[in-house]
């Protein structure tokens, strides 16, 4: 039996978005926004310490957001990047974000895990901007999977630019806050 798939973000996200800008001209502004999503997800105890959003790359118009909901939804694929990509595709009406006329950018508070890295390849985004590094997530115990050592180069060879370490210290602080508050480290490094 097939049924419609419904993606719902935590209730607090709506009020957060209503009070936020709709356009974020710089990558730093976009990163501050997704770091705040991750921080609020920790504060509201609605998921892991990860936030992501899809923007129009050139003008910085927000298309969709995602926060980690693995634990709250009991769904291993409910990563912030996966939800942001899926909701952006739904918002623009196509599975290929590269078809929508303008380049889309995925901004994520932490570098993508192996699953999210695969999703990036098929999503159509033209750019990925990352805050904290893989090793920052691994340091608190998360398993990021067997990513290729030069994953950024692999994306760039597919025409997807990668920018790393944007506000890394602030993004890594959210990971540490989650650990310090006793957040569940699901699927820890094995």
């Amino acid at each position: 039996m097939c049924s419609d798939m419904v993606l719902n973000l935590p209730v607090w996200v709506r009020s957060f978005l209503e009070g936020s800008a709709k356009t974020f001209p710089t990558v730093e502004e976009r990163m501050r926004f997704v770091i705040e999503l991750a921080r609020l997800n920790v504060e509201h105890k609605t998921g892991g310490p990860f936030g992501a959003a899809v923007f129009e790359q050139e003008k910085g118009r927000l298309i969709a957001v995602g926060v980690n909901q693995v634990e709250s939804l009991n769904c291993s694929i409910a990563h912030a990047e996966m939800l942001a990509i899926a909701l952006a595709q739904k918002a623009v009406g196509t599975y290929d974000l590269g078809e929508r006329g303008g380049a889309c950018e995925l901004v994520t508070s932490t570098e993508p895990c192996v699953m999210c890295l695969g999703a990036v390849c098929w999503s159509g985004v033209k750019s990925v901007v990352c805050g904290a590094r893989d090793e920052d997530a691994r340091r608190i115990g998360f398993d990021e999977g067997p990513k290729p050592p030069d994953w950024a180069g692999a994306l760039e060879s597919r025409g997807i630019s990668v920018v790393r370490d944007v506000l890394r210290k602030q993004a890594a602080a959210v990971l540490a806050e989650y650990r310090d508050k006793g957040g569940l480290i699901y699927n820890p490094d094995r």
Side-chain angles (χ1 to χ4, degrees):
M1 174 187 263
C2 246
S3 64
D4 288 336
M5 179 182 211
V6 177
L7 298 174
N8 291 316
L9 293 171
V11 211
W12 61 263
V13 173
R14 178 177 293 235
S15 58
F16 173 70
L17 291 175
E18 288 170 358
S20 296
K22 303 300 178 239
T23 303
F24 301 82
T26 69
V27 293
E28 289 80 10
E29 290 172 283
R30 296 171 203 170
M31 184 58 70
R32 274 188 209 89
F33 176 78
V34 299
I35 290 171
E36 185 63 6
L37 280 169
R39 191 193 69 71
L40 287 169
N41 207 36
V42 171
E43 181 181 305
H44 289 280
K45 298 181 178 177
T46 48
F50 306 99
V54 175
F55 297 89
E56 285 181 346
Q57 188 174 11
E58 189 176 316
K59 295 183 180 179
R61 185 180 69 82
L62 177 64
I63 298 171
V65 303
V67 292
N68 179 284
Q69 293 188 269
V70 169
E71 184 183 356
S72 58
L73 295 179
N74 288 316
C75 181
S76 65
I77 65 168
H79 288 202
E81 299 92 334
M82 301 291 281
L83 294 176
I85 288 168
L87 291 167
Q89 291 167 334
K90 183 126 177 102
V92 301
T94 178
Y95 63 87
D96 186 348
L97 294 172
E99 285 184 353
R100 60 177 311 278
C104 287
E105 177 173 77
L106 173 67
V107 180
T108 179
S109 64
T110 304
E111 292 177 345
C113 71
V114 68
M115 175 179 64
C116 296
L117 181 63
V120 165
C121 293
W122 308 126
S123 70
V125 299
K126 297 299 178 196
S127 175
V128 178
V129 178
C130 310
R133 286 210 174 202
D134 177 278
E135 56 261 30
D136 298 325
R138 289 181 191 275
R139 188 175 306 114
I140 70 164
F142 282 104
D143 181 357
E144 298 298 282
K147 291 187 339 192
D150 187 20
W151 64 270
L155 287 182
E156 288 172 354
S157 73
R158 299 176 74 96
I160 304 167
S161 68
V162 177
V163 179
R164 298 168 80 184
D165 299 331
V166 176
L167 303 177
R168 179 181 179 186
K169 184 177 176 182
Q170 295 90 322
V174 175
L175 297 171
E177 177 186 349
Y178 181 75
R179 177 202 56 217
D180 295 347
K181 287 183 172 181
L184 176 68
I185 308 293
Y186 51 85
N187 295 341
D189 280 333
R190 300 188 199 297

